[in-house]
Amino acid sequence: MLSKALLSLGGGAARHPWRVIAAWLVIATLTVLAAVAFGGRTADSMTAPGLDSQRAAELIERAGTGQEGMTAQVVVTPVDDGATFFDDDSARTALNQLRAEVTRLPHVLGTSDPAGALDAGGDTAVRGGLVSADGRIAVVRVQYPDQSRLSAEDLDALVELGDRLRAELPLRVEMGGNLFYAFSDPDGGVSELIGLLAAAAILFLAFGSLVAAALPIGMAVFGLTVGVATMTVLAGVTDVPAFAPVLGSMVGLGVGIDYALFVLARHREYLACGLDPQAAAGRAVATAGRPVVFAGGIVVVSILGLAVANVPFMTVGGVAVSIVVLTMVLASVTLLPAFLGAAGPRLARAGRISRIVRALRTGKPGRLARRRDPAGAAHAAGWRRWIGHVGRHPVPYAVGAAGLLLTATLPVLGLRVGLPDDGSLPHSRTERRAYDLVAEGFGPGTNGPLVIAADPTGDPGVLDRLVGAVAADPGIASVTPTHIDRATGIATLVVFPTTSPQDKATADTIARLRTDVLPTAIGHGPARAHVGGAAASLSDVGRRTSQRLPVFVAAVLAMSFLLLMLVFRSILVPLKAVLLNLLSIGASYGIMVAVFQWGWGGALIGLEATVPIVSFIPMFLFAILFGLSMDYEVFLLSHVREEYLRTGDNGTAIVEGISRTARIITSAALIMVAVFLSFAVADDPSAKMFGLGLAAAIFIDATVVRMVLVPATMTLLGRTNWWLPKWLDRVLPRGPVGTDHPPVRSSAVRI
């Protein structure tokens, strides 16, 4: 049924290409207009129900202290290296002017007064955390309302004011705070362009045709435009995390070009068999489109499964990325066949540039380069030799490849989740420079204050015990005076750890406060206290995602096993696929730990300091990578099964099936790796982690797994690869991937 629907859909699009292309143009235009009219900007909200930090936020909101809102900080130091705020009247005057102008910005509830602290005396200034002990660095803390009442325009106004004051005042002005974290735009634009250019180059080298290379790129651009614009509309309704557009672009480009490559390769095979372009496009969508729909569905279901973490921003981020993937699947079975129909027979013949590329690849200029498919036949023969070689020595290859991946996985034992703070950003960013100034003047913990909210109901003496116990903890550098709300009686105190927000010692301090310090101070009375603040929220989210990760992994593995069993009518093939995918994903995790936590090769991607793995990335990566690896799994094994059903010989099926798909898979993997690596050079450490993690996993999956472990293990299993109990075969419905394939003309078919 799915085949017939796709055949009708693809064939209709190929017969009426300009209608379909016009419809996609209208859809793209409407979604962009809707994004402009109704869309919002991304905003991060690292909260989740049931967490201790969320309970602290609820108490703070009840107290109405304003500390439940967003904050920013303006960090200043005199331009003159020898001057201090203690003895430079012009610097102090400029500091007052800066604070006054910041206070007048829209939605600003209040600002701290470092100049007033100076007038009160040096010791008071130091205790207030507003002016450093040497008088060189001053901080203006800016309080905003909660995030729901703010927008990116508030950040823009603050940044524009800073740019103007830098030119007018004798001060070096830097800015940071969670307002930047919530509303900074992701820096994925340049990465998308680099990824597209790299993909275009690989496609041209693979196909030797400008037209064939342009079609997947054109389809991906259409799909990405519609998907990201829809994501922007979603951001106008709910908080879409800042990483979603970057991740959506990264995954969308990768899967979109990959899906198009699979369909285009099958289309060219049908053209080589003598079908007219419209019929070839319909048959290509009916055959290659089925694994595309299947694999895309797994990606979407896996990503939507992130809801199991019960972290709202992850759920919304998963929905946003899924929209892009779904758009790419739809474009692959509608827009791409329209492009194929419009291109006509030009895709079946090579132009002059194509012949030159083939000649350079084969090293045989002249008449040999003009034969129908010298390069394709040579590559297929080369892959047959390699797969046959692995098949003759399956044990050493299986053991060696598995050992290599297990070794690469070992660093995962040291994985530490958290969230990189502004100290991991490049020095070109004002947030990084502000972070460094604060750490220099007040200590690293000042960049990540904790907010303890306490309800002393029934125990009025608990606050004194609480303050004393917190101040005595070795992980706490200082405690500000307690603020008590008269209406509710709720008390809040801001405490500064001795270590930076991303330091493991800070997470240990938060855990110690909750499990030891606060319970001891409160005792068994009715009073309660909770630890909040940005650092605590991030620590809580990391712990929750780590706790839910095993459940999520088990659910995705079970779902993938069942779906593959439906598709390939086998027990061992899906079991092997699940285990091998786990190996490749584990190895990519290990590479991330080695690069980001240990610093191995970090300079190559612009990483200036070691950082913990972002708390939500392991779960996101698993969802995406497991889905993407199924692309190759379904595409490769469907060809192997076709050959097995045709010949009944397991060895022949492995050699022929893998050799026919190897070039497509390696080209697709190269495209994905190029796209993902282009994001690994972004400023944001989260984008770097996504880019490197995805690129490493896809590279390992398409090389070590698909071209070594798969043929080796399938050879060892022999005919039992396709074993399925008869009773189970009768019970299971038929899967969506069939065995239809054009007649094989190996000497005339190239991707």
Side-chain angles (χ1 to χ4, degrees), residues 167-245:
E168 296 178 0
L169 302 179
L171 298 175
R172 174 186 166 193
V173 181
E174 307 296 350
M175 299 179 174
N178 58 18
L179 187 72
F180 283 80
Y181 178 78
F183 295 111
S184 290
D185 282 328
D187 52 353
V190 175
S191 297
E192 293 167 14
L193 179 59
I194 295 173
L196 280 174
L197 292 175
I202 295 168
L203 284 168
F204 178 67
L205 291 174
F207 286 109
S209 166
L210 287 174
V211 175
L215 296 186
I217 298 294
M219 190 215 78
V221 170
F222 262 98
L224 197 60
T225 301
V226 173
V228 173
T230 305
M231 189 186 299
T232 305
V233 175
L234 179 64
V237 179
T238 186
D239 288 337
V240 174
F243 66 80

Side-chain angles (χ1 to χ4, degrees), residues 343-384:
R346 283 176 291 179
L347 291 174
R349 59 178 184 264
R352 184 176 181 182
I353 295 178
S354 174
R355 291 195 297 270
I356 293 172
V357 171
R358 291 182 188 178
L360 292 174
R361 278 198 313 227
T362 60
K364 298 178 180 180
R367 187 169 57 185
L368 282 176
R370 290 191 291 272
R371 286 164 55 186
R372 189 175 183 96
D373 187 34
H379 276 278
W383 282 114
R384 285 190 187 94

Side-chain angles (χ1 to χ4, degrees), residues 60-61 63-71 109 143-146 483 492:
I60 294 169
E61 187 174 2
T65 63
Q67 290 173 329
E68 73 277 10
M70 305 294 294
T71 60
L109 300 178
Q143 185 66 53
Y144 286 90
D146 64 85
H483 179 280
T492 56

Side-chain angles (χ1 to χ4, degrees), residues 80-248:
D80 182 0
D81 288 339
T84 72
F85 287 106
F86 290 129
D87 55 25
D88 191 329
D89 291 337
S90 64
R92 189 177 300 196
T93 301
L95 180 60
N96 277 323
Q97 179 184 341
L98 179 144
R99 175 176 175 266
E101 298 216 29
V102 171
T103 304
R104 288 195 292 268
L105 288 174
H107 297 131
V108 170
L109 300 178
T111 59
S112 62
D113 184 9
L118 281 166
D119 294 335
D123 291 341
T124 303
V126 173
R127 284 197 301 271
L130 301 178
V131 181
S132 62
D134 60 3
R136 287 278 305 145
I137 300 168
V139 178
V140 177
R141 294 195 172 90
V142 189
Q143 185 66 53
Y144 286 90
D146 64 85
Q147 187 170 329
S148 62
R149 297 168 56 188
L150 301 176
S151 69
E153 283 71 24
D154 293 287
L155 175 60
D156 294 340
L158 181 63
V159 171
E160 289 170 6
L161 175 63
D163 292 339
R164 177 169 64 82
L165 293 179
R166 286 188 187 97
E168 296 178 0
L169 302 179
L171 298 175
R172 174 186 166 193
V173 181
E174 307 296 350
M175 299 179 174
N178 58 18
L179 187 72
F180 283 80
Y181 178 78
F183 295 111
S184 290
D185 282 328
D187 52 353
V190 175
S191 297
E192 293 167 14
L193 179 59
I194 295 173
L196 280 174
L197 292 175
I202 295 168
L203 284 168
F204 178 67
L205 291 174
F207 286 109
S209 166
L210 287 174
V211 175
L215 296 186
I217 298 294
M219 190 215 78
V221 170
F222 262 98
L224 197 60
T225 301
V226 173
V228 173
T230 305
M231 189 186 299
T232 305
V233 175
L234 179 64
V237 179
T238 186
D239 288 337
V240 174
F243 66 80
V246 175
L247 186 58

